[in-house]
C-alpha cells in the first residue's frame, strides 16, 4: 500500500469512517465479475476509477488536473495510474495514452 493511502486509511478509520471505502469494494466486485465472464482484454481488468484516470491521461491532463476533475487527491491518482500501467503492461503516461487511443478507451 502506498504511504499516502495508508495515512488516508488511518485518518478515515480514526474519524469513524470505513476502510476500504464502498467504491473500492464495488471496483473489486466489478473486476471479479469481469474475470468470471472470462474477459481476456487487459483493459477489462481496469476498475471504473482506473478507466476514468486512463481516459484523463489520454486527454493530456496532469495528475493535479485529474485529481481536481475526479475529486480525489493526487496520491490516489498516482496509485490508479500505477495500477493501470501494471494491468495493461505499459510503462509511463505516454505508453498508457497510446494504448488507450489504440484500444478505443480514450
Amino acid at each position: 500500500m502506498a504511504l499516502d493511502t495508508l495515512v488516508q486509511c488511518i485518518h478515515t478509520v480514526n474519524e469513524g469512517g470505513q476502510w476500504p471505502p464502498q467504491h473500492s469494494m464495488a471496483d473489486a466486485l466489478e473486476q471479479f465479475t469481469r474475470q468470471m465472464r472470462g474477459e481476456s482484454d487487459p483493459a477489462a481488468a481496469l476498475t471504473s476509477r482506473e478507466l476514468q484516470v486512463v481516459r484523463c491521461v489520454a486527454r493530456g491532463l496532469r495528475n493535479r488536473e485529474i485529481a481536481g476533475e475526479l475529486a480525489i487527491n493526487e496520491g490516489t491518482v498516482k496509485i490508479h495510474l500505477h495500477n493501470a500501467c501494471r494491468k495493461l503492461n505499459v510503462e509511463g503516461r505516454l505508453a498508457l495514452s497510446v494504448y488507450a487511443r489504440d484500444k478505443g478507451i480514450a
Side-chain angles (χ1 to χ4, degrees), residues 24-41:
S24 295
M25 297 304 288
D27 287 344
L29 180 59
E30 181 180 333
Q31 184 173 355
F32 175 75
T33 302
R34 287 178 182 158
Q35 289 174 346
M36 293 306 294
R37 288 190 301 230
E39 295 177 7
S40 60
D41 179 17

Side-chain angles (χ1 to χ4, degrees), residues 2-106:
L3 181 58
D4 60 338
T5 303
L6 180 59
V7 171
Q8 181 183 5
C9 170
I10 292 168
H11 284 288
T12 300
V13 172
N14 187 45
E15 294 170 359
Q18 181 181 8
W19 196 267
Q22 288 294 354
H23 67 82
S24 295
M25 297 304 288
D27 287 344
L29 180 59
E30 181 180 333
Q31 184 173 355
F32 175 75
T33 302
R34 287 178 182 158
Q35 289 174 346
M36 293 306 294
R37 288 190 301 230
E39 295 177 7
S40 60
D41 179 17
L46 297 177
T47 65
S48 57
R49 183 62 92 181
E50 289 166 350
L51 191 55
Q52 289 175 318
V53 170
V54 168
R55 288 180 174 144
C56 288
V57 168
R59 288 178 25 220
L61 299 181
R62 297 179 184 276
N63 289 357
R64 179 172 289 169
E65 295 167 323
I66 295 170
E69 185 167 310
L70 300 180
I72 58 179
N73 67 47
E74 281 187 74
T76 304
V77 171
K78 291 177 185 178
I79 291 168
H80 289 310
L81 282 173
H82 171 78
N83 291 338
C85 286
R86 180 181 46 81
K87 289 177 181 180
L88 300 176
N89 198 29
V90 298
E91 292 187 29
R93 296 175 81 87
L94 179 58
L96 184 61
S97 183
V98 169
Y99 180 96
R101 289 173 195 244
D102 287 350
K103 298 292 184 179
I105 297 173

